[in-house]
Amino acid sequence: MVIEDLVEIAEKERAGGKKTIIRCCMAASCMSSRSEAVKAGLEKAVKDAGLSDQVEVRGVGCMRLCCQGPLVGVEPGNILYQKVEPEDAASLVASTQGAPTDVERGDPEQPFFKKQLSIVLSNSGVVDPERIESYIGADGYKALHSVLFEMTPKELIDHIIASGLRGRGGAGYPTGLKWATVAKTPSAQKYVVCNGDEGDPGAFMDRSVLESDPHSVLEGMAIAGYAVGANQGFIYVRAEYPLAIKRLQIAIRQARQIGLIGSGIFESPFHFTVDIRIGAGAYVCGEETALMASIEGKRGTPRPRPPFPAESGLWNSPTLINNVETFANIAPIVRKGADWYASIGTAKSKGTKVFALAGKIENTGLIEVPMGTTLRQIVEEMGGGAPGGASIKAVQTGGPSGGCIPANELDTPVDYESLTRLGSIMGSGGMIVMDESTRMPEVARYFMEFCMDESCGKCIPCRAGTAQMHHLLDRIVKRQGTARDLATLEELCDMVARTSLCGLGQNAPNPVRSTLRYFRNEYLALLAPGSNGQLAREEQTANSH
Amino acid sequence: MRAEGLDHQVYCRSRPVNTETTTPWDKTAVAALTPLQASDKRYKILEAHIKKYQGRQDALIEVLHKAQELFGFLEDSLLLFVGSRLKLPPSRVYGVATFYHYFKLKPQGAHTCVVCLGTACYVRGSDRVLAAIEQSAGIKSGETTEDKQLSLMTARCIGACSIAPAVVYDGVIHPKQDPESALAQLKGWLPHGN
C-alpha cells in the first residue's frame, strides 16, 4: 500500500457511487427496531424494481435520532424517513423515482440536526462501517499517511497540543501533553490503549462511534502510536457491546489486509498492530490502571498513581491511554489543522463533544455540539424538552461520578470547568434528563447502589463507605432516616471522596452531594417524623453554611 | 496488498515475557484430560483456543469468555482445567472468574432475560418492568426458575439508552418495554404459562 493505492481506492469508491443512495441505519438502537429487516426489504425492492444500477442501499452507522428509529435517509434531496417498517420498502424505493409515499417523514431541518457540528460523527450515518473502502472514500487514512511522511513525532505532538484537544473520557487532561509524556519516556516497548469500556449508565457515545466509524478510531490509534513510538495497540471494549466488537474485528481485518495496520504501513518503517480485548462486566475497569490490569488478564483493581501509565503502564511499559472519542478526533485534526480545531469551542475547552441524550426527553439520541453550547440549547431546543410538556427538573451528567444540574442552571455552557463548578463533571457524555416525577433522593440511592455493587473492594473507604452511604440513603428514602443520618451521610461523603484510591470511590459521593446541594428540601421532607426537633437544628446549620 | 498472518502471530510479536511468578504446577495435572473430558469435544475446542494464545497467562479473560461460550457457565472442574493449561494457580483463575459480572459460575436457564437498569431505563420505569417479571416468574434477579427455563438478570447499562427501557431476551435487545410487553414476551418461557 502506497499513497497512490489509497487515492485509487478513494476515487474508485467515489466514482462508483450510484445516482441515488438510500442510507439505512444499522447501529444497535435501530437494529433493535428491526432495521436489518428494513435494509433487506429495501435491497429486495431495489432489485425487484430493476433499479440496481441506479440505487444503492447502504447500511450506515448511527443516524442520531434513535427514538424515531429505524431511520432511513435518501440522497439526493436530504430526505429522512423515520419509524420505517420492512413493509414500507417498496413504497420508499418507488419514491426515489418520483412516486408519492406515505412513509413517515422526519424533518432533517429541525434544531436537533441543525445545531449539531460534526467532527467525530462526520462519517456516522454516511459511511458503511463494514467496508474500509467507504471510509477511505471519505478521506480515511489520509491523515495517517501525512503524519508518517510529512511530520516528525515531535511536530505531530506539538500539532495536537496546539489544537487544544482534551481527553474525552471525562477528566479532560490535555491530550497532547499526555502524548508528550509517553513519547519522552525511554523504553523499547510502548503501548497505545483505547478505552472503550463505556460503563457510565446513560452513555452510549463510544458504542455509537465504534459501531458507526471504527476505522476513525483505528487511524487515531495508529497516529498516536507513531507519535509516542508504540507499535502495539489494544482496544478494550465492553462485552455488552457485541455489535461494536464485531465491527471492530471486521475493521481490523480489512485494515490489515490492505496494509494499513501491521508492519511497514505505507511502506514506511512504522509498524503498528491492534488487538481487541473484551471486558467482562466490571465498571471499575474504565479506570485506567484497572483497565490495564484487566488487559493483563487479572482482576480489574486499580493501583495508586504515580507511577502514571504514561511512565509505567501495561507490563510496566509506558502506555498511552485515551478514550474512543479522543482517538476519533485525531484524524480530523491532522487533516484540517490545529488552528481550525482550536477555533471551535471555548477558551479552555476546544472542539466538539458528543453527548448521548436520554431520559425524560422528547428527542433521545446522539448529538455532537461545539463546546460552550448551553445545556438549555441542548435539552430544550435540540432535545425538545420533556415529553408531554412536563417541566425539566434536572440534567444528570457524568454518570455515577457526576451530579444533577438543576433546571435553573440550564444556561450554563457545556465545558469542563463550568460543569465542575456546578458540582457535576463533563464525564464521558451521558446526559440524562429528569422531569418533575423524578425524586432526587431515590436517584442518589440508585447511583450509590451502583457504586456499592461496582466497588472493586480493594480500598476500605470505597468498599465500606459506599455500603454505609447506601444504607443511610435507603433509610432516608424509606422515611426512616433522621437528621443525624443525614449529617452522617454528609460526613461520609467527604471522607470517601478524600480517601478512596481511585476515581470510582473519589467521585461516588458526587450524586449525593449535588442532589443535597440543589434539592436539599426533598431530603428534609423525607426525614422521619420523630426527628422534627433535630430537623429544625439541621435546617439552621444548613442555612448558616 | 498485504495479507497478514493469523491472529496468534500478531499476538506473539514484541510482547515482553510475562514477569509474573509462575506457580510450580503439578505436572500430572497438566498432563491429560480425564476420560470424561477427553470425550467432550468442547474441551478440544477450548484447548485449540488456548493454543491460539500460546498459553499466554494474560489471555485468561479471553479463554474464560470462550469457555463460557462453549459450556454456558464456568464450573469448578472447568476453571481448574483452564488454570492447568495456562499454568495459573486456581486462586487466580477463580479470583478473576468471580470478579467480573459477565462470568457465570452456575448453570443458566434455557432462556435469558436481562433487564437494563441503566439511568435512562431507570427514570423511564425499568424498575417496574423488573418487578413485574420477578413477580410473574417467582424468582429474583440473578436466579433461574426451577424448571431451568428462564434466567433473570439485570444489567448496569447496555447502552440502549435512547430506546429505554430496554430488555434483552435471549441476546436480542427489545426497545421501549413496559410490564405488559415484557410479560407478553416471556409467555411460554415461564412456568404455569404465565
Side-chain angles (χ1 to χ4, degrees):
Chain A
M1 167 68 69
V2 289
I3 186 69
E4 286 77 18
D5 296 335
L6 191 77
V7 172
E8 194 187 316
I9 295 174
E11 278 171 2
K12 204 170 145 199
E13 179 66 21
R14 283 189 282 244
K18 293 174 187 164
K19 208 175 83 191
T20 307
I21 295 169
I22 302 180
R23 294 172 296 131
C24 183
C25 180
M26 297 293 277
S29 306
C30 280
M31 279 177 80
S32 72
S33 318
R34 299 203 297 159
S35 73
E36 248 174 326
V38 171
K39 183 171 173 255
L42 287 167
E43 280 164 350
K44 185 172 175 295
V46 168
K47 215 169 144 198
D48 291 349
L51 294 168
S52 298
D53 54 339
Q54 291 177 42
V55 181
E56 177 193 346
V57 178
R58 184 188 292 174
V60 296
C62 184
M63 291 169 67
R64 306 181 197 189
L65 192 55
C66 308
C67 59
Q68 301 289 356
L71 298 169
V72 171
V74 176
E75 303 295 337
N78 190 25
I79 303 165
L80 180 73
Y81 294 101
Q82 58 191 26
K83 295 189 176 157
V84 181
E85 300 282 334
E87 300 76 47
D88 297 336
S91 156
L92 222 153
V93 170
S95 78
T96 65
Q97 306 303 311
T101 174
D102 53 3
V103 182
E104 189 178 334
R105 288 278 280 267
D107 176 15
E109 300 296 319
Q110 60 179 300
F112 181 84
F113 293 110
K114 277 287 141 189
K115 293 214 169 257
Q116 300 209 25
L117 176 68
S118 298
I119 296 175
V120 170
L121 298 180
S122 55
N123 286 333
S124 174
V126 181
V127 305
D128 181 346
E130 297 190 3
R131 288 181 60 243
I132 192 170
E133 297 83 5
S134 192
Y135 179 69
I136 294 174
D139 288 339
Y141 289 104
K142 251 179 152 175
L144 177 59
H145 180 271
S146 71
V147 299
L148 290 180
F149 291 93
E150 291 159 26
M151 280 177 163
T152 64
K154 170 126 196 351
E155 284 166 358
L156 172 57
I157 290 171
D158 288 343
H159 195 75
I160 300 297
I161 291 176
S163 74
L165 174 66
R166 294 169 66 176
R168 294 293 190 251
Y173 189 79
T175 305
L177 290 183
K178 201 187 245 183
W179 288 25
T181 315
V182 182
K184 74 176 183 220
T185 309
S187 171
Q189 179 68 52
K190 296 180 187 180
Y191 297 101
V192 170
V193 174
C194 173
N195 184 346
D197 191 54
E198 183 177 52
D200 283 354
F204 53 92
M205 305 76 47
D206 295 350
R207 170 179 71 76
S208 296
V209 171
L210 292 173
E211 285 172 4
S212 309
D213 198 14
H215 286 287
S216 69
V217 179
L218 294 183
E219 189 180 3
M221 288 180 74
I223 293 172
Y226 173 73
V228 303
N231 55 28
Q232 170 73 53
F234 290 100
I235 303 185
Y236 189 91
V237 194
R238 307 175 72 199
E240 286 87 341
Y241 291 174
L243 184 64
I245 294 168
K246 184 186 135 205
R247 298 245 163 102
L248 268 174
Q249 283 166 339
I250 294 172
I252 292 174
R253 198 175 62 233
Q254 290 177 344
R256 199 182 280 156
Q257 267 169 1
I258 63 171
L260 291 170
I261 279 183
S263 50
I265 295 171
F266 286 117
E267 300 190 356
S268 74
F270 176 63
H271 66 97
F272 189 75
T273 54
V274 178
D275 288 319
I276 301 175
R277 285 294 164 105
I278 297 165
Y283 174 70
V284 71
C285 287
E287 200 277 341
E288 55 184 16
T289 58
L291 184 142
M292 293 188 305
S294 186
I295 290 180
E296 292 176 12
K298 299 174 189 159
R299 290 164 68 96
T301 51
R303 61 159 175 79
R305 297 175 300 179
F308 286 92
E311 285 155 347
S312 174
L314 272 181
W315 294 285
N316 302 321
S317 296
T319 303
L320 173 74
I321 301 189
N322 277 143
N323 170 266
V324 169
E325 197 184 328
T326 314
F327 281 123
N329 267 302
I330 300 300
I333 290 175
V334 172
R335 276 204 311 269
K336 298 189 180 174
D339 296 340
W340 162 79
Y341 195 81
S343 70
I344 303 164
T346 65
K348 282 187 171 171
S349 304
K350 300 297 185 192
T352 57
K353 178 79 192 85
V354 182
F355 289 102
L357 271 184
K360 297 283 184 72
I361 186 160
E362 200 64 47
N363 299 331
T364 57
L366 205 63
I367 57 164
E368 181 172 7
V369 290
M371 292 277 190
T373 307
T374 65
L375 282 166
R376 191 178 302 285
Q377 282 172 318
I378 293 175
V379 172
E380 292 185 354
E381 287 180 45
M382 304 177 75
S391 60
I392 290 171
K393 184 173 184 178
V395 178
Q396 209 277 338
T397 67
S401 310
C404 294
I405 299 165
N408 59 15
E409 298 280 1
L410 280 185
D411 288 313
T412 310
V414 174
D415 61 53
Y416 293 98
E417 281 73 24
S418 304
L419 293 186
T420 309
R421 205 163 45 240
L422 291 179
S424 186
I425 57 168
M426 172 81 86
S428 54
M431 206 174 259
I432 294 164
V433 180
M434 298 170 174
D435 69 3
E436 289 300 334
S437 68
T438 315
R439 285 185 286 273
M440 291 301 158
E442 284 181 26
V443 171
R445 180 182 65 171
Y446 164 84
F447 280 119
M448 194 52 74
E449 189 195 347
F450 182 99
C451 291
M452 176 177 74
D453 267 11
E454 296 296 337
S455 172
C456 78
K458 182 168 176 172
C459 75
I460 298 165
C462 176
R463 181 181 68 214
T466 51
Q468 293 303 326
M469 287 192 285
H470 178 259
H471 174 69
L472 290 168
L473 282 165
D474 193 49
R475 276 173 61 96
I476 292 172
V477 167
K478 288 181 176 156
R479 293 179 178 273
Q480 294 160 354
T482 61
R484 197 162 175 178
D485 287 336
L486 195 59
T488 314
L489 177 66
E490 294 194 271
E491 210 177 296
L492 272 173
C493 280
D494 194 48
M495 190 275 286
V496 172
R498 281 166 188 265
T499 54
S500 292
L501 172 60
C502 81
L504 194 156
Q506 289 161 9
N507 294 316
N510 282 358
V512 183
R513 284 172 150 178
S514 75
T515 48
L516 270 171
R517 179 167 157 189
Y518 298 114
F519 304 98
R520 195 177 192 89
N521 283 338
E522 287 189 40
Y523 283 87
L524 297 178
L526 284 173
L527 293 184
S531 64
N532 272 350
Q534 285 165 315
L535 183 70
R537 278 200 297 283
E538 150 75 19
E539 262 167 332
Q540 228 167 19
T541 3
N543 293 336
S544 68
H545 278 308
Chain B
M1 301 281 164
R2 186 189 317 276
E4 279 277 324
L6 295 167
D7 266 2
H8 67 266
Q9 287 174 316
V10 176
Y11 256 94
C12 62
R13 180 184 299 146
S14 62
R15 198 80 59 77
V17 181
N18 199 322
T19 46
E20 193 165 312
T21 38
T22 309
T23 316
W25 194 268
D26 180 4
K27 285 263 164 43
T28 52
V30 188
L33 296 163
T34 63
L36 199 65
Q37 289 174 338
S39 64
D40 192 335
K41 237 185 191 164
R42 295 175 296 181
Y43 278 96
K44 293 234 167 64
I45 301 173
L46 188 58
E47 271 203 307
H49 195 74
I50 292 170
K51 281 202 182 110
K52 194 178 111 177
Y53 291 107
Q54 302 191 318
R56 296 180 56 89
Q57 295 177 331
D58 58 79
L60 174 60
I61 294 173
E62 269 68 26
V63 173
L64 290 178
H65 269 300
K66 188 72 185 177
Q68 181 159 298
E69 185 192 318
L70 289 167
F71 291 82
F73 74 107
L74 304 170
E75 58 183 328
D76 289 355
S77 59
L78 187 56
L79 291 175
L80 285 169
F81 170 80
V82 169
S84 75
R85 287 303 185 264
L86 294 178
K87 301 196 171 50
L88 285 168
S91 59
R92 167 82 187 277
V93 180
Y94 191 74
V96 167
T98 50
F99 183 84
Y100 294 97
H101 297 307
Y102 198 81
F103 297 129
K104 308 280 175 240
L105 303 187
K106 286 189 191 142
Q108 301 296 297
H111 300 283
T112 57
C113 169
V114 184
V115 181
C116 181
L117 290 183
T119 323
C121 291
Y122 179 80
V123 300
R124 286 218 176 207
S126 63
D127 50 340
R128 286 186 296 115
V129 176
L130 178 66
I133 298 174
E134 283 184 338
Q135 202 202 356
S136 180
I139 50 170
K140 291 271 168 212
S141 140
E143 295 175 351
T144 302
T145 51
E146 261 179 38
D147 59 2
K148 301 269 178 260
Q149 278 301 300
L150 177 70
S151 287
L152 178 61
M153 287 167 272
T154 56
R156 282 305 176 192
C157 180
I158 57 168
C161 319
S162 52
I163 47 172
V167 180
V168 188
Y169 305 100
D170 277 347
V172 182
I173 302 174
H174 285 243
K176 299 175 187 166
Q177 296 292 292
D178 55 38
E180 291 74 38
S181 62
L183 292 182
Q185 191 67 37
L186 292 177
K187 212 170 177 172
W189 295 0
L190 291 177
H192 326 299
N194 283 344

